[in-house]
Amino acid sequence: MYIKQAFKSLHEWWRYLVGFLIIFIASQIGSIPLLIAVMFKVMSNGGNIESIQDPNVMMTVLDSNLTLFLMLLSFAIGLLAIYLVVKYLHRQTFVQLTTSRKKTDWGRVFFGFGLITVTTLVVTTLDYYNNPQDYVLQFDLVPFLILAVIAIIMIPLQTSFEEYLFRGYLMQGIGVLAKNKWLPLIITSVVFGALHLANPEVDKFGNIIMVYYIGTGFFLGIMTLMDEGMELALGFHAGNNLITALLVTADWTVFKTNSVFKDISEPSAGFDVIAPVLILYPIFLLIMAWRYKWRDWSGKLFGKVEEPIVLTEEKTSNPTFIE
């Protein structure tokens, strides 16, 4: 099983604590270039540093493409830190952190990516034709091409960092320590959602948007546990963020980009905010369950995580794991 992969590596509790701290510090170091660039820009224009204490203001000081790149850089450095921590602190292969299969199933990655991409395109197209007054076409070829290059390279790194941290490193770490599956699912989903509290969407919609963020965490966690690997979650998360950055932006989103359209409507904190969690996500899970023949939902989501018995035969240096 996926969480049991951690038993094949060094999995003492202190290693996960040290590893998490290393990953956190590395991601914070990765945010320094953005801060320096903003400070330099403000000071060169004769501004005051105190004027950029508001994160929403800070994100508008630089060109949007440069801001996006520097903002995503911290996630790329954090992903590198996860790789190094897993390899050297836990002596675990990256494949074992990714999946219970012998190798990463890229077909699953692309299926998850395609599922959310097609859905987003269809929903956005229908909304555009039904409510054209809510959109402004702002397509500008050169800025868009620069955005596309940055987004295609950097956004998968950003989403992979979040997936490998929450659905990978912490899911396995908490699972082998708690000896069950429901606790890591709850903790990683709630913390994943809580970390989005600083997003400008929260100011716009209010705390109800946290239902969406935490619900998305549960959705990705359920997907990972049921499929015994992160491939679907990796593809889905990357597709969601990438198509959003390229297709539609708004003044109240965390990604303010040179996308094709700009949403100028006044959003309301109504049912449409939580509709994905209550309607779309269950449909997606049913589609994946049908395609990949998921079984034993109770066992995979709430079952125990038991450490395999290791039998070391005489004159044999390779241990045998008994499930």
Side-chain angles (χ1 to χ4, degrees), residues 2-4 6-7 10-13 15-17 90 92 97 164-180 184 188 305:
Y2 175 66
I3 291 180
K4 277 190 177 182
F7 285 121
L10 303 176
H11 56 275
E12 296 87 351
W13 67 268
R15 294 181 186 273
Y16 285 99
L17 177 60
H90 294 274
Q92 184 183 31
L97 184 65
Y164 274 106
L165 178 59
F166 290 100
R167 260 63 64 180
Y169 190 71
L170 294 179
M171 181 78 80
Q172 286 189 350
I174 298 172
V176 298
L177 295 176
K179 300 296 192 297
N180 62 55
T188 57
V305 177

Coordinates of all heavy atoms in Angstrom, one line a residue, residues 2-4 6-7 10-13 15-17 90 92 97 164-180 184 188 305:
Y2 N 0.3 2.4 -0.4 CA 1.0 3.6 -0.6 C 1.7 4.1 0.7 O 2.9 4.3 0.7 CB 0.1 4.7 -1.1 CG 0.8 6.0 -1.2 CD1 1.9 6.2 -2.1 CD2 0.5 7.1 -0.4 CE1 2.6 7.4 -2.2 CE2 1.2 8.3 -0.5 CZ 2.2 8.4 -1.4 OH 2.9 9.6 -1.5
I3 N 1.0 4.2 1.8 CA 1.6 4.7 3.0 C 2.7 3.8 3.5 O 3.7 4.2 4.1 CB 0.6 4.9 4.1 CG1 -0.4 6.1 3.7 CG2 1.2 5.2 5.5 CD1 -1.4 6.4 4.7
K4 N 2.5 2.5 3.3 CA 3.5 1.5 3.8 C 4.8 1.6 3.1 O 5.8 1.0 3.5 CB 2.9 0.0 3.6 CG 2.0 -0.4 4.7 CD 1.8 -1.9 4.5 CE 0.9 -2.5 5.6 NZ 0.7 -3.9 5.4
A6 N 6.7 4.0 3.2 CA 7.6 4.6 4.1 C 8.4 3.6 5.0 O 9.5 3.9 5.5 CB 6.9 5.6 5.0
F7 N 7.8 2.5 5.2 CA 8.5 1.5 6.0 C 9.7 0.9 5.4 O 10.6 0.3 6.1 CB 7.5 0.3 6.4 CG 6.5 0.7 7.4 CD1 5.1 0.6 7.1 CD2 6.9 1.1 8.7 CE1 4.2 0.9 8.1 CE2 5.9 1.4 9.6 CZ 4.6 1.3 9.3
L10 N 14.1 4.9 6.1 CA 14.3 5.3 7.5 C 13.1 6.2 7.9 O 12.9 7.3 7.3 CB 15.6 6.1 7.7 CG 16.8 5.3 7.2 CD1 18.1 6.2 7.3 CD2 17.0 4.0 8.1
H11 N 12.3 5.8 8.9 CA 11.0 6.5 9.2 C 10.8 6.9 10.6 O 9.7 7.0 11.1 CB 9.9 5.6 8.7 CG 9.9 4.3 9.3 ND1 10.6 3.2 8.8 CD2 9.2 3.8 10.4 CE1 10.4 2.1 9.5 NE2 9.6 2.4 10.5
E12 N 11.9 7.1 11.4 CA 11.7 7.5 12.8 C 11.1 8.9 12.8 O 11.2 9.7 11.9 CB 13.1 7.6 13.5 CG 13.8 6.3 13.6 CD 14.6 5.9 12.4 OE1 14.5 6.6 11.4 OE2 15.3 4.9 12.5
W13 N 10.3 9.2 13.9 CA 9.5 10.4 13.9 C 10.4 11.7 13.8 O 10.0 12.7 13.2 CB 8.8 10.5 15.3 CG 9.6 10.6 16.5 CD1 10.1 9.6 17.2 CD2 10.1 11.8 17.1 NE1 10.9 10.1 18.3 CE2 10.9 11.5 18.2 CE3 9.9 13.2 16.8 CZ2 11.5 12.4 19.0 CZ3 10.6 14.1 17.6 CH2 11.3 13.8 18.7
R15 N 13.0 12.2 12.1 CA 13.4 12.5 10.7 C 12.4 13.3 10.0 O 12.7 14.2 9.2 CB 13.7 11.1 10.0 CG 14.9 10.4 10.5 CD 15.1 9.1 9.7 NE 16.1 8.3 10.3 CZ 17.4 8.4 10.1 NH1 17.9 9.3 9.2 NH2 18.3 7.6 10.7
Y16 N 11.1 13.0 10.3 CA 10.0 13.8 9.6 C 10.0 15.2 10.2 O 9.7 16.1 9.4 CB 8.7 13.1 9.8 CG 8.6 11.9 8.9 CD1 8.8 10.6 9.4 CD2 8.3 12.0 7.5 CE1 8.7 9.5 8.5 CE2 8.2 10.9 6.7 CZ 8.4 9.6 7.2 OH 8.3 8.6 6.4
L17 N 10.3 15.3 11.5 CA 10.3 16.7 12.1 C 11.4 17.5 11.5 O 11.2 18.6 11.0 CB 10.4 16.6 13.6 CG 10.5 17.9 14.3 CD1 9.3 18.8 14.1 CD2 10.7 17.7 15.8
H90 N 16.0 10.2 4.6 CA 15.2 9.0 4.8 C 15.6 7.8 4.0 O 15.1 6.7 4.2 CB 13.7 9.3 4.4 CG 13.0 10.3 5.3 ND1 12.4 9.9 6.4 CD2 12.9 11.6 5.2 CE1 11.9 11.0 7.0 NE2 12.2 12.1 6.3
Q92 N 15.1 7.1 0.9 CA 13.9 6.6 0.2 C 14.0 7.1 -1.2 O 14.4 8.2 -1.5 CB 12.6 7.2 0.9 CG 11.3 6.7 0.2 CD 10.1 7.3 0.9 OE1 10.2 8.5 1.3 NE2 9.0 6.6 0.9
L97 N 8.1 7.6 -2.8 CA 7.3 8.7 -2.3 C 6.1 9.0 -3.2 O 5.1 9.6 -2.7 CB 8.2 9.9 -2.1 CG 7.5 11.2 -1.5 CD1 7.1 10.9 0.0 CD2 8.5 12.4 -1.6
Y164 N 3.7 16.7 -3.2 CA 4.8 15.8 -2.5 C 4.9 16.1 -1.0 O 5.2 15.3 -0.2 CB 6.1 16.0 -3.2 CG 6.3 15.1 -4.4 CD1 6.2 15.6 -5.7 CD2 6.5 13.8 -4.3 CE1 6.4 14.8 -6.8 CE2 6.7 12.9 -5.4 CZ 6.6 13.5 -6.6 OH 6.7 12.6 -7.7
L165 N 4.6 17.4 -0.6 CA 4.7 17.7 0.8 C 3.5 17.1 1.5 O 3.6 16.5 2.6 CB 4.7 19.2 1.0 CG 4.7 19.7 2.4 CD1 6.0 19.2 3.2 CD2 4.7 21.2 2.5
F166 N 2.3 17.4 1.0 CA 1.1 17.0 1.8 C 0.6 15.6 1.5 O 0.4 14.8 2.4 CB -0.1 18.0 1.5 CG 0.2 19.3 2.1 CD1 0.6 20.4 1.3 CD2 -0.1 19.6 3.4 CE1 0.9 21.6 1.8 CE2 0.1 20.8 4.0 CZ 0.6 21.9 3.2
R167 N 0.4 15.3 0.2 CA -0.1 13.9 -0.1 C 1.0 12.9 -0.2 O 0.8 11.7 -0.2 CB -0.8 13.9 -1.5 CG -2.3 13.9 -1.4 CD -2.9 15.2 -0.7 NE -2.6 16.4 -1.5 CZ -3.0 17.6 -1.1 NH1 -3.6 17.8 0.0 NH2 -2.7 18.7 -1.9
G168 N 2.3 13.3 -0.1 CA 3.4 12.4 -0.1 C 4.1 12.4 1.2 O 3.8 11.5 2.0
Y169 N 5.0 13.3 1.5 CA 5.8 13.3 2.7 C 5.1 13.2 4.0 O 5.3 12.4 4.8 CB 6.8 14.5 2.6 CG 7.9 14.5 3.7 CD1 8.9 13.6 3.5 CD2 7.9 15.3 4.8 CE1 10.0 13.5 4.4 CE2 8.9 15.3 5.7 CZ 9.9 14.4 5.5 OH 11.0 14.4 6.4
L170 N 4.1 14.2 4.2 CA 3.4 14.2 5.4 C 2.3 13.1 5.5 O 2.1 12.5 6.6 CB 2.7 15.5 5.6 CG 3.6 16.7 5.8 CD1 2.8 18.0 5.9 CD2 4.5 16.5 7.0
M171 N 1.7 12.7 4.4 CA 0.8 11.6 4.4 C 1.5 10.3 4.8 O 1.0 9.6 5.7 CB 0.2 11.4 3.0 CG -0.9 10.3 2.9 SD -2.5 10.7 3.6 CE -3.1 11.7 2.2
Q172 N 2.6 10.0 4.3 CA 3.3 8.8 4.6 C 3.9 8.9 6.1 O 3.8 8.0 6.8 CB 4.5 8.5 3.7 CG 4.0 8.0 2.3 CD 5.2 7.6 1.4 OE1 6.3 7.8 1.8 NE2 4.9 6.9 0.3
G173 N 4.4 10.1 6.4 CA 5.1 10.2 7.7 C 4.1 10.1 8.8 O 4.3 9.4 9.8
I174 N 2.9 10.8 8.7 CA 1.9 10.7 9.8 C 1.3 9.4 9.8 O 1.0 8.8 10.8 CB 0.8 11.8 9.5 CG1 1.5 13.2 9.6 CG2 -0.3 11.7 10.6 CD1 0.5 14.3 9.2
G175 N 1.1 8.8 8.6 CA 0.5 7.4 8.5 C 1.3 6.4 9.2 O 0.7 5.5 10.0
V176 N 2.6 6.3 9.0 CA 3.4 5.3 9.7 C 3.6 5.5 11.2 O 3.8 4.6 12.0 CB 4.8 5.2 9.0 CG1 4.7 4.8 7.6 CG2 5.6 6.5 9.2
L177 N 3.5 6.8 11.6 CA 3.5 7.1 13.0 C 2.2 6.9 13.7 O 2.2 6.3 14.8 CB 4.0 8.6 13.2 CG 5.4 8.9 12.7 CD1 5.6 10.4 12.9 CD2 6.4 8.2 13.5
A178 N 1.1 7.2 13.1 CA -0.2 7.0 13.7 C -0.8 5.6 13.5 O -1.7 5.2 14.1 CB -1.2 8.0 13.1
K179 N -0.2 4.9 12.5 CA -0.6 3.5 12.2 C -2.0 3.4 11.7 O -2.7 2.4 11.9 CB -0.4 2.6 13.4 CG 1.0 2.5 14.0 CD 1.9 1.8 13.0 CE 3.3 1.5 13.6 NZ 4.0 2.6 14.1
N180 N -2.5 4.5 11.1 CA -3.8 4.5 10.4 C -3.8 5.4 9.2 O -2.8 6.1 9.0 CB -4.9 4.8 11.4 CG -4.8 6.2 12.0 OD1 -4.7 7.2 11.2 ND2 -4.8 6.3 13.3
P184 N -3.8 10.9 8.9 CA -3.0 11.7 7.9 C -3.9 12.3 6.9 O -3.6 13.4 6.4 CB -2.1 10.7 7.3 CG -2.7 9.3 7.6 CD -3.3 9.5 8.9
T188 N -3.5 16.4 6.8 CA -2.9 17.0 5.6 C -4.0 17.8 4.9 O -3.6 18.9 4.3 CB -2.4 15.9 4.7 OG1 -3.4 15.0 4.3 CG2 -1.2 15.2 5.3
V305 N -2.5 0.9 9.3 CA -1.2 0.9 8.6 C -0.3 0.1 9.5 O 0.2 0.5 10.5 CB -0.6 2.3 8.4 CG1 0.7 2.2 7.7 CG2 -1.6 3.1 7.5

